[in-house]
Amino acid sequence: LALAGFGGIEIATCASSETVNARRTIPRSVFMTLVTVALIYSGMCLAVSSAAHYVLSPDKATMLVSGTNVQATCPAIAGYLGGPVWGLAFTACVVASIVGCGFSCLLGNARVAYSMASTGLFPQQFARLDSKSGVPRYALWFQFWCLCLIGVGANIMARTGVFPDAYTFLAEVFGFMYAFVALLYAICAVSLRYTDPTMHRPLRIGRQGNFLMWVLALVTAGIWGFAAFGCVHWSHQLAGIAILLAGIPIYAYYRRRGSQKPEAMLQRVDSSGAGLP
């Protein structure tokens, strides 16, 4: 169901200005992402569910292989069935997957900061593009160091007992934030159909009318609303909301400074030596 909720699909479109033959490549990549992820996920679920029976752990937090203390994760079950080598192999695959998703998110989120900065809603440095690669280099480096600090800081707080597990804390907090923003995607997508009907949108759904957009928006809002508010601990919800609210003063500050036209700002950025896409 989550595949219907824009989960990761928008990342493929964020770098379209730097993609060769984007008109053909981007739609194909979106479709291939949907198909391959669905097949891999379904196949893994079938394989894992047929390999072992599960029971709920005493603290009702995770699933365990019946009669053992082995958690029902792919690496743990692979190690349980095939030995330590297979467990390490699956762990390496999980790590590679997380790293790949992380790079995709870094690239996609940097384009969001670039778009905000180019329209005067974020510091101007984020709109500067590298003269050789054409990517928002400042935004990428800023994200890199921020995420390093967040990861190290969460690990330190977990080791000092502020919360029990850094991985769970970060996963739920950022998962909540992503789900909440995805819910807002649905609301904004529908509202833009009525407030700005002539806006150029390459991902328009349906040849006419807004019926399909309403259907997708309602499915998206339902799925990600449940993920955000029905599957995350309330303390992690509060942490995610606090981080999201921290951006409002920044937005308000640059919004007040928005008397300068975006075109003039873009010209200033271009004159600084960075080319525009």
Side-chain angles (χ1 to χ4, degrees), residues 7 16 104 135 147 152 181 186 207:
S16 57
S104 299
V135 302
L147 290 176
V152 173
V181 171
R207 294 182 178 276

Side-chain angles (χ1 to χ4, degrees), residues 59 61-62 71 73 150-174 233 235-236:
D59 61 358
T62 59
Q71 291 190 354
T73 63
I150 291 173
V152 173
N155 186 273
I156 292 174
M157 286 190 287
R159 290 178 179 273
T160 54
V162 177
F163 45 78
D165 180 43
Y167 184 83
T168 301
F169 175 79
L170 290 178
E172 288 215 351
V173 170
F174 282 90
H233 192 269
S235 62
H236 297 161

Side-chain angles (χ1 to χ4, degrees), residues 94-268:
V94 171
V95 171
S97 175
I98 293 174
V99 171
C101 292
F103 279 124
S104 299
C105 290
L106 282 172
L107 292 171
N109 291 334
R111 273 67 182 178
V112 176
Y114 165 79
S115 299
M116 293 176 64
S118 64
T119 54
L121 296 178
F122 218 51
Q124 184 183 347
Q125 294 93 326
F126 287 85
R128 293 176 181 168
L129 300 177
D130 184 77
S131 58
K132 294 182 179 180
S133 62
V135 302
R137 183 174 62 181
Y138 181 88
L140 286 170
W141 278 112
F142 182 84
Q143 285 185 155
F144 172 79
W145 289 113
C146 280
L147 290 176
C148 286
L149 290 174
I150 291 173
V152 173
N155 186 273
I156 292 174
M157 286 190 287
R159 290 178 179 273
T160 54
V162 177
F163 45 78
D165 180 43
Y167 184 83
T168 301
F169 175 79
L170 290 178
E172 288 215 351
V173 170
F174 282 90
F176 169 82
M177 292 168 62
Y178 182 89
F180 188 79
V181 171
L183 190 156
L184 295 180
Y185 281 169
I187 297 173
C188 293
V190 171
S191 65
L192 284 172
R193 294 297 189 268
Y194 298 95
T195 59
D196 298 89
T198 60
M199 181 183 293
H200 176 65
R201 288 186 291 271
L203 298 179
R204 176 180 290 278
I205 301 175
R207 294 182 178 276
Q208 58 184 359
N210 298 316
F211 174 74
L212 289 177
M213 189 64 248
W214 269 103
V215 171
L216 183 58
L218 289 174
V219 173
T220 299
I223 292 171
W224 290 110
F226 173 74
F229 297 101
C231 303
V232 179
H233 192 269
W234 64 267
S235 62
H236 297 161
Q237 292 177 3
L238 291 179
I241 291 174
I243 296 174
L244 290 172
L245 292 178
I248 294 180
I250 300 174
Y251 171 81
Y253 173 76
Y254 283 98
R255 183 73 174 177
R256 284 196 298 268
R257 292 184 54 188
S259 57
Q260 185 180 29
K261 293 183 178 180
E263 291 81 3
M265 180 169 289
L266 286 173
Q267 290 174 2
R268 265 212 333 253

Side-chain angles (χ1 to χ4, degrees), residues 24-43:
R24 179 186 177 190
T25 305
I26 296 299
R28 198 163 101 188
S29 68
V30 170
F31 178 76
M32 290 178 65
T33 299
L34 282 171
V35 173
T36 54
V37 170
L39 290 176
I40 292 172
Y41 182 78
S42 300

